[in-house]
Amino acid sequence: MRRRSHAKKLLVEGRQEQRVIPELIEANGVLWGESRNEAIVLIDEFDGIENLLKPGVIEAELKSSGVEIVGIIVDADDDLEKRWQAVRNRCLSKFPNLPEKWDDTPLIVTADDGLKLGVWIMPDNSKCGMLETFLQYLAPTGSELLVEYAKETCEEAANRGATYTPHQKTKAEIYTWLSWQNEPGRQLHQAVKERILDPSSSSAAGFVEWFRELFEL
Amino acid sequence: MLSHVNIRGYRGLREFSLNGLGRVNLLVGSNNCGKTSILEAIQILANAGDPWSLVHGVVRRGERVSDSLRRRNRSSSDHDLSHLFYGHEVAIGQEFEITTDKAGPLGGVIVHITEGSQHDEERQSSLPFEAGNDDSIDATAWTLTIDWPMHDSASFDLPINSYGGVSFDSLRRYPRSRFESAIPVQHISTAGLSVDEVVQMFEDVVLTPDEDLAVEALRLIEPHIDRLATVSRDRRTSYPGERGGVVVKMVDSSQRVPIGSMGDGMWRMLGLALALVNAEGGILLVDEIDTGLHYTVMDQMWKLLSEGARKLSVQVFATTHSRDCYESLATIARDDVSDGSEVTIQRIESDRTVSTGFTEQEIIAAAERGMEVR
């Protein structure tokens, strides 16, 4: 796993984020680049939040040679404040003045030596949830009834022996909804690319704006 | 152990600090960023300003006074000390300084240029040498003064001429035996150690427990080595880069093999091990530590070095360009059970005044993720 240094890096929890975000950004008018090497921003995924938050990992990324801008996207999951604390602790050595409390807006700060850091807590920096929660908001106008039905169905499925955990509920809901679309069963990033989910939705605007401002695009 | 080193005005380093140093410190950075200069600066400090250690780097880098300048001044000064100073200029008031967080002689040394000593009767020297009438120093002579401000000792003067030249003859009047290092220091340059150095150091430890470390080091490359010994050699023919003076016996053979027959890696490992034991209680400096070593050997080399350094209370500063080398440092970082960082990586960048230090956790993360630290 040898990587040349890249000036702009985005650190995400897993493969889903790694695939979805380029589609979302490109759908909003920013060319992403054809290959990994040409990508405007290099996205590294860590196969789970624990690996991303392991002591030393983010610190080393922030000290990596040639890096100028680092973005971090994490899920709030069940406790947004707690998640922020964990991320903050990893960034303190390089950014000692990070706010102790999260103020429900996405973060962009610059260190004395010019290194820029950005943090976005899914879904929208103010509530619990995850990437899939954020993507639920991108269901196109007109599909509200179907989204609601997907939620009800998942609820009922739980009563009938479905094995998804409470933590995974939002994932079950969105994949259920996707199974009813044309094409059925598209993956998340494909759904964004093919406009099954609406990347120009106002719910995505905040994220795109943060991304563009952080990475100067 | 030094935690912090600050260098001001030495060679290309206008102002540079290394902080959060550990027992084993690996310096990385692009070519010409000053890694070797940092090793030299630490050596100058540890040698308590011994003028010979000032000159070591000068000789190795071939910094000689040009022939035309020598002829014009009718002097025999041949080493050019001007390059020791930031800006390559020799002038009264020019100085460089190396300081650390320690007290006593290791606290700091400052080397500066003042008026010639023959003009200054009150200047004291800690040693009873007389600058006298040195034919090799011309009339506009200046003085290179070495001071260690935190040590209660008079400064030491070395006469130089106005373009920074000092003659070998002049230096020879200050025999090395007169200087007591603040602490032991061993420096292996990129070119490695000479046969004489290796033989000398081996003979210093032969039949002592430290000899085992040397053999252990070689066994990392060749597990069937039984014993080593030095042998006398023909001194008439010796040339740079030579290997010799040491023979090796394998476990399953009765033959003695010259160490040179066994590949450069062996020579480097032997030199490393011997320098380590000879630096007991002090500092080991190794430039381009990965030279001659295959990546498979690197993990164990670091293990041997770090265990030996801990046992013998040696602080190690090494440089490298190799990714294999810094990634294999993660092996000892993982095994380190003590508190705080025994192992650090320090990235040197010429447009910064502070090194970027990596702690053990960060070294492990960087190695696992293939991050670029250089």
Side-chain angles (χ1 to χ4, degrees):
Chain A
M1 237 197 323
R2 266 115 203 262
R3 298 196 183 122
R4 292 262 145 256
S5 55
H6 206 283
K8 300 181 185 178
K9 281 199 84 170
L10 181 64
L11 312 178
V12 301
E13 289 193 28
R15 282 270 227 266
Q16 293 302 339
E17 287 86 352
Q18 196 183 37
R19 290 191 179 126
V20 167
I21 287 162
E23 297 299 347
L24 189 57
I25 297 299
E26 209 166 60
N28 276 276
V30 183
L31 277 179
W32 191 266
E34 287 311 303
S35 69
R36 191 166 159 80
N37 283 336
E38 289 167 31
I40 48 174
V41 174
L42 187 70
I43 306 186
D44 259 352
E45 59 93 11
F46 288 76
D47 193 26
I49 186 72
E50 315 76 33
N51 292 331
L52 175 55
L53 292 179
K54 202 152 95 168
V57 173
I58 291 177
E59 289 93 327
E61 290 281 356
L62 294 176
K63 288 181 181 175
S64 185
S65 164
V67 73
E68 290 165 17
I69 306 177
V70 177
I72 302 176
I73 299 176
V74 290
D75 293 337
D77 283 327
D78 298 319
D79 190 340
L80 191 156
E81 202 57 55
K82 187 157 162 232
R83 190 46 50 83
W84 165 238
Q85 286 307 320
V87 173
R88 177 176 182 269
N89 285 339
R90 301 277 70 81
C91 300
L92 276 178
S93 59
K94 188 76 192 184
F95 293 88
N97 296 319
L98 289 175
E100 276 199 51
K101 284 189 73 48
W102 183 255
D103 71 349
D104 288 4
T105 54
L107 184 82
I108 297 182
V109 290
T110 308
D112 292 334
D113 65 355
L115 179 72
K116 237 171 137 185
L117 171 71
V119 179
W120 178 281
I121 303 186
M122 284 290 180
D124 61 0
N125 302 298
S126 65
K127 47 172 94 69
C128 296
M130 51 184 69
L131 172 74
E132 287 77 3
T133 324
F134 171 82
L135 290 173
Q136 260 181 348
Y137 298 149
L138 304 193
T141 41
S143 199
E144 294 85 347
L145 277 179
L146 204 59
V147 172
E148 199 46 48
Y149 187 51
K151 289 184 180 178
E152 286 165 23
T153 313
C154 285
E155 188 75 46
E156 180 55 31
N159 295 332
R160 298 200 196 188
T163 57
Y164 68 83
T165 69
H167 182 253
Q168 296 166 324
K169 192 156 186 224
T170 317
K171 290 187 188 177
E173 289 168 359
I174 197 168
Y175 283 112
T176 303
W177 181 86
L178 282 171
S179 71
W180 296 330
Q181 304 305 313
N182 181 9
E183 289 273 323
R186 296 309 268 156
Q187 293 181 49
L188 297 174
H189 68 282
Q190 291 165 327
V192 171
K193 189 171 182 171
E194 293 160 23
R195 305 296 192 269
I196 296 172
L197 288 168
D198 180 12
S200 62
S201 150
S202 57
S203 308
F207 176 81
V208 177
E209 203 184 296
W210 167 81
F211 189 93
R212 294 185 78 151
E213 197 193 319
L214 174 65
F215 290 108
E216 292 163 15
L217 298 164
Chain B
M1 241 176 38
L2 308 173
S3 316
H4 163 90
V5 175
N6 191 73
I7 300 168
R8 180 173 63 83
Y10 180 70
R11 290 191 175 277
L13 304 165
R14 175 136 60 122
E15 181 79 51
F16 201 83
S17 307
L18 294 103
N19 303 316
L21 296 170
R23 180 164 297 288
V24 174
N25 305 280
L26 185 62
L27 274 47
V28 299
S30 60
N31 285 88
N32 212 37
C33 65
K35 304 188 289 297
T36 301
S37 301
I38 291 173
L39 296 189
E40 283 174 6
I42 295 172
Q43 178 169 22
I44 289 171
L45 176 76
N47 276 330
D50 167 4
W52 285 94
S53 98
L54 281 185
V55 168
H56 257 142
V58 169
V59 170
R60 196 181 50 83
R61 293 166 188 261
E63 288 161 348
R64 305 182 65 85
V65 174
S66 72
D67 285 339
S68 55
L69 208 53
R70 289 165 65 186
R71 273 195 301 270
R72 226 186 306 143
N73 289 276
R74 284 190 299 269
S75 85
S76 63
S77 300
D78 36 29
H79 301 310
D80 183 358
L81 303 187
S82 62
H83 308 290
L84 295 179
F85 299 91
Y86 182 76
H88 307 268
E89 231 198 271
V90 179
I92 292 185
Q94 265 277 50
E95 64 181 30
F96 69 82
E97 185 178 19
I98 303 154
T99 47
T100 70
D101 56 293
K102 293 274 160 294
L106 269 190
V109 66
I110 178 164
V111 177
H112 50 131
I113 297 179
T114 56
E115 290 280 347
S117 58
Q118 50 255 50
H119 304 300
D120 189 344
E121 297 301 322
E122 286 105 64
R123 180 165 293 281
Q124 285 175 27
S125 187
S126 60
L127 300 134
F129 288 111
E130 309 205 351
N133 281 323
D134 186 344
D135 292 339
S136 64
I137 303 287
D138 49 310
T140 52
W142 289 339
T143 306
L144 188 87
T145 301
I146 306 172
D147 259 316
W148 22 143
M150 264 165 269
H151 189 47
D152 198 18
S153 170
S155 59
F156 169 73
D157 294 339
L158 182 71
I160 61 174
N161 59 32
S162 58
Y163 47 88
V166 67
S167 79
F168 202 62
D169 291 329
S170 160
L171 270 175
R172 255 207 280 238
R173 284 133 122 259
Y174 309 112
R176 307 215 56 186
S177 50
R178 287 288 198 143
F179 292 93
E180 226 186 81
S181 242
I183 49 171
V185 56
Q186 290 290 332
H187 184 165
I188 305 182
S189 72
T190 313
L193 298 172
S194 68
V195 176
D196 284 340
E197 285 169 320
V198 169
V199 168
Q200 176 67 61
M201 289 200 287
F202 185 79
E203 291 180 347
D204 283 346
V205 302
V206 75
L207 299 184
T208 74
D210 289 337
E211 182 191 340
D212 296 337
L213 191 78
V215 184
E216 229 184 283
L218 292 192
R219 286 199 188 116
L220 294 183
I221 299 180
E222 176 42 80
H224 297 115
I225 288 181
D226 187 15
R227 288 174 55 189
L228 303 182
T230 48
V231 290
S232 66
R233 61 208 180 85
D234 186 354
R235 291 239 165 98
R236 288 170 296 170
T237 54
S238 89
Y239 55 92
E242 187 193 0
R243 310 284 181 242
V246 175
V247 290
V248 172
K249 181 191 159 315
M250 311 293 270
V251 161
D252 45 10
S253 151
S254 54
Q255 245 202 332
R256 295 183 338 175
V257 177
I259 192 166
S261 308
M262 301 190 83
D264 248 26
M266 292 289 248
W267 185 256
R268 290 289 295 194
M269 273 303 225
L270 181 60
L272 257 174
L274 290 175
L276 178 66
V277 301
N278 278 278
E280 181 166 2
I283 293 177
L284 173 64
L285 306 161
V286 189
D287 217 346
E288 305 211 17
I289 193 165
D290 57 290
T291 306
L293 301 180
H294 193 249
Y295 75 88
T296 52
V297 170
M298 214 95 69
D299 282 3
Q300 290 166 293
M301 180 275 288
W302 281 124
K303 261 198 147 129
L304 188 88
L305 200 64
S306 93
E307 276 163 21
R310 209 176 314 143
K311 248 190 287 187
L312 300 167
S313 297
V314 177
Q315 186 171 23
V316 181
F317 294 87
T319 73
T320 191
H321 281 119
S322 152
R323 191 192 261 265
D324 281 327
C325 188
Y326 77 71
E327 285 188 347
S328 59
L329 206 54
T331 330
I332 47 172
R334 267 186 217 108
D335 294 339
D336 178 29
V337 293
S338 78
D339 225 344
S341 272
E342 283 269 293
V343 176
T344 82
I345 289 178
Q346 304 281 334
R347 177 169 70 236
I348 318 297
E349 286 161 292
S350 45
D351 57 350
R352 300 217 174 190
T353 56
V354 183
S355 62
T356 304
F358 288 75
T359 62
E360 282 168 344
Q361 282 173 337
E362 292 160 11
I363 294 172
I364 293 167
E368 284 176 357
R369 309 261 338 155
M371 279 182 237
E372 183 52 75
V373 314
R374 297 167 292 182

